[in-house]
Amino acid sequence: MSMTFVGITRFSVVTRDSLGWFRSTRDLTVEEAKQQLFEGSRIKSRLHMFRRFALPSYVAMTKRPRSYALIVINDDLPPYARRRLDEMLAPHPRIRLVTIGRGQSFRSKPRQVSIELAEGGRLYSYRLDDDDALSPAYFDVIAPRLDALADRTVVSAIDGLTIAPEPDEVINLRSCRHKYNAQGMGVVSGPDDYLTAFSLGSHMRVNTRFPVDLVTTGRPVWLRTRHASNDSPGRLGAQPVSLGLPEALVRLKADFPFLNEAAMRALYMPLAASEPEAAAS
């Protein structure tokens, strides 16, 4: 049975069932959360990060046969942000915008589109945040394992990197090994019960609900960008190293060849104080 690959990224999505996924929106109404997440400087920062990290990851991934990506947005995302996303995705027909209307779940529409793309075959659905990246080697590691896995098996690649900006064009780089890492976490399913990466609930406790295939690669296949306003400081890794921008790029390009100086400089863009912090629960 054929396998279809579908990556899913939420771009500043706000729905009633998404509020609890972020600490800063748990106690807000949908409209209050939209006011916070759609704020101009924040959206501009996210567009820059998406362009430099998640988008080139998907451009590489969707070169594979039967491989697609879905960028999920609210239908009332500020028009200039929608136009900018349309411009960025126009050259890449396998990377599609999926809009969520008022009152809809952020889970249902991506699942519906993923089922259509699977065309009755098996589906591998994986997730990526809009400011993070996956190595082109991700599929080289993941794809050969999938045929042997039962439906409803979660795949979690352990090895990755976290990067963060420091003063004077220095990049803080940390090697990480996390069992249930969100970036690139995927699930195999079939026509009897199609699942997407959004069907899994909290990635930190996914092993309590699904069998998990932990993949050790020896090389980083995911990259997480860290900034003080939105990343939890609790999940660290090995002792970090601080590298000048040119040296950091040489190190990163070995596994993430699409990264460039513009991507590193995007890390230094001011982020709004209201940037949501991903919930660890």
Side-chain angles (χ1 to χ4, degrees), residues 161-162 166 172-176 236-242 251:
L161 293 172
T162 298
E166 293 183 354
N172 179 289
L173 189 151
R174 186 190 297 267
S175 295
C176 304
L236 302 178
Q239 185 67 27
V241 296
S242 295
R251 172 89 173 265

Side-chain angles (χ1 to χ4, degrees), residues 137-201:
Y138 171 80
F139 275 164
D140 296 335
V141 173
I142 298 297
R145 311 171 70 93
L146 299 182
D147 286 343
L149 297 179
D151 287 349
R152 299 179 62 85
T153 300
V154 171
V155 179
S156 178
I158 293 175
D159 299 282
L161 293 172
T162 298
I163 61 172
E166 293 183 354
D168 301 321
E169 295 193 342
V170 171
I171 302 297
N172 179 289
L173 189 151
R174 186 190 297 267
S175 295
C176 304
R177 302 188 81 239
H178 296 317
K179 280 187 176 181
Y180 309 117
N181 183 67
Q183 289 73 28
M185 177 174 282
V187 61
V188 184
S189 62
D192 290 340
D193 183 18
Y194 280 120
L195 301 177
T196 75
F198 291 166
S199 306
L200 305 179

